[in-house]
Amino acid sequence: MSIEDLMGAVSTLEGALGKAFLAERVVMRGQDLHHELGKKDWLSVFMYAITGKEFTENQIRYLNFMWVATSYPDAAIWPNQVTALAATARSTPSLSLVAGLAVSEARLYGRKPDRRAMDFFYRAAKKIDEGEALEQVIEAEVAQRKVVFGYGRPLVRLDERVAHTLNVISELGLDEGRYFKLALDVHRYLKKTRGLSLNIAAISASTMADMGLSTEEYQLFLTLVFVAGMVPCYLDAKRRKEGSFFPVTCDGIAYCGPPERVW
Amino acid sequence: MSEPFKFHSAVWYEEPESDNPFVARRCLAHGYDVYGEVIRKSSWSEYILLLFSGDKPCRQQIVLFEKLAIALANPGPREPSVRAAMNGGVGGSVDAASLIAALAVGAGQYGGSHEVFLLVKAWQRLGRDLSKWKEYLSDPNQGYQEDVWSPIEHPPGFDPHGVSCPTPVQQSLSLLGDLMPESNLGWLRQNRENLEHMTGFPLAMTAVAAAAFSDLGLSGSQSIMMYLMLRLPGAAVHALEQENLGWKKFPAYGPAIHLSDDPGAFPMPDISRFEL
């Protein structure tokens, strides 16, 4: 970007996706927030904000279910525990929730595997379109990346969300999409060859791919997905004595560093 | 049942007070008695480097760290992470939120800690091999896999909007290179113009920071943490400053924002019955 271009951007932002004409009106992606979007439910507006697209009633019901189904009010879950720790330390409600949400962008769970699972389905479908067999695509993925995101061993990956989610997808008629079918095909192959089973990440990513979301749009949708489960964790820690959420004794630190030494 | 609830640490050991198992009588950091000995004999910089590396730093490392800390402490109120903190300050957000805003924005890949991370990882892979650096900088997203971090949009360590290397960057690199001549910093100082010519962009402070962190032996993730922490003082003072100055002196960008897709005004609902 040239200095001239930067100078031009100092005092103007053209082509913005939204604007608040304060005391008058608000526009989001070409629609009046109060007159047009105000008639919709919040989730539909959220999806419109992310994608600029409108979704069917059944799709929105499914998206709503995804949020409900991940609202685990259990303080043992790491992001929730962050919220509970903030509460026991008597931080503020907003900081408590924001801290929990921030750590949800994790490598072992949450946003990173979510994105990679969706990315796999897009790459796999492209290769299939180019003439590769599904088996070839999966084997190449395993050879190159060691894992296929969204698939794991059923015994350690048992997830109660799977059955409920599959049921909802069927009930809402969302089980005919290309990527969801691909997810099941990948499951069948990995089950047969490696004893691996699809998990909730594969189901969610593939169905969201069927709705046409990009990986970034998918992450934006998921960012707040744990928040309802965090609230009870906050309240639970808040109603107890301060500092009493799983306190740790000095002996609770198992030290494995160098022995005592002189500075 | 207490065994499953232990935290394992090679950094920190605590000995409890005799009357309270929840309070430490002595704390050891990597084996050194923090409140009995370190606090009396060590500087803050020495202690921080000990915490990160596990070993007492040498004099050269301490001085390098302290000078780097000054170079990074305040990027100034134009820099995005500091501006984010100022948005917190001017609106009277809780103070921690201003720092959280600075951390989130300062974590990015345009002048932020993830750019530093990419560079420290590159130092580990490429060392001081100029041809390998040129190859990397010409295609920094080679081997990129889907991630919460997008592909970087410029050669890491260089300013995509720059014209020439800013004087503070040159001054910092020059001083830090002097402190540790046989180092990555020294090599970067020697090859700066060559690399700038190759990328077409001037060197940025992220490159200086990354070279210094790699000279200090920090990992990529350690460098992220250190970079974020070292830049917080500027975010803090400018957030507090804006809170004191008040919102009337803060830029209001509203009139500068223009839509390309505007449905136009709708009539306001009739609320005359409420007699407001």
Side-chain angles (χ1 to χ4, degrees), chain A residues 1 11-16 19 25 30 35 115-116 119 215 248-256 258 260-263, chain B residues 6-10 12 21-22 26 30-32 37 42 54 100 146-147 161 254 256-258 261-262 264 266-267:
Chain A
M1 209 170 185
S11 57
T12 185
L13 184 72
E14 299 294 339
K19 180 174 170 66
R25 64 199 174 95
H35 282 274
R115 281 182 78 132
R116 289 190 174 168
D119 175 63
T215 52
V248 181
T249 63
C250 295
D251 291 341
I253 302 172
Y255 181 64
C256 53
E260 184 166 1
R261 42 188 172 164
V262 176
W263 186 258
Chain B
K6 276 191 183 290
F7 291 98
H8 295 263
S9 175
W12 198 256
F22 291 100
R26 289 208 313 148
H30 295 290
Y32 295 107
E37 201 182 12
S42 153
I100 289 171
E146 179 66 30
D147 199 68
H161 305 314
I257 294 174
H258 305 288
D261 186 6
D262 186 351
F266 287 75

Side-chain angles (χ1 to χ4, degrees), chain B residues 11 30 48-55 61 65 68 72 113-114 116-118 120-121 124 209-210 212-230:
Chain B
V11 176
H30 295 290
I48 297 300
L49 287 171
L50 166 75
L51 283 175
F52 271 73
S53 72
D55 290 308
Q61 289 172 317
F65 177 70
L68 176 67
L72 298 180
S113 63
H114 201 256
V116 172
F117 170 84
L118 294 173
V120 171
K121 298 297 273 186
Q124 291 167 353
F213 288 137
S214 61
D215 283 335
L216 288 168
L218 300 186
S219 70
S221 291
Q222 286 176 326
S223 301
I224 287 179
M225 300 286 197
M226 197 72 97
Y227 186 74
L228 287 169
M229 288 193 294
L230 292 180

Side-chain angles (χ1 to χ4, degrees), chain A residues 66-126:
Chain A
M66 282 174 68
W67 275 44
V68 172
T70 42
S71 301
Y72 282 28
D74 187 328
I77 296 168
W78 292 326
N80 294 1
Q81 199 170 123
V82 170
T83 296
L85 287 166
T88 202
R90 298 297 187 257
S91 190
T92 69
S94 296
L95 290 178
S96 303
L97 294 179
V98 164
L101 289 173
V103 300
S104 306
E105 205 170 31
R107 177 167 46 84
L108 296 183
Y109 65 94
R111 304 301 85 84
K112 288 192 183 188
D114 292 329
R115 281 182 78 132
R116 289 190 174 168
M118 179 181 268
D119 175 63
F120 166 69
F121 291 126
Y122 282 137
R123 285 186 293 106
K126 184 166 178 281

Side-chain angles (χ1 to χ4, degrees), chain B residues 115-134:
Chain B
E115 183 171 5
V116 172
F117 170 84
L118 294 173
L119 286 164
V120 171
K121 298 297 273 186
W123 278 112
Q124 291 167 353
R125 284 195 316 274
L126 314 175
R128 297 173 202 162
D129 187 325
L130 186 62
S131 61
K132 285 184 179 168
W133 271 100
K134 286 184 173 178

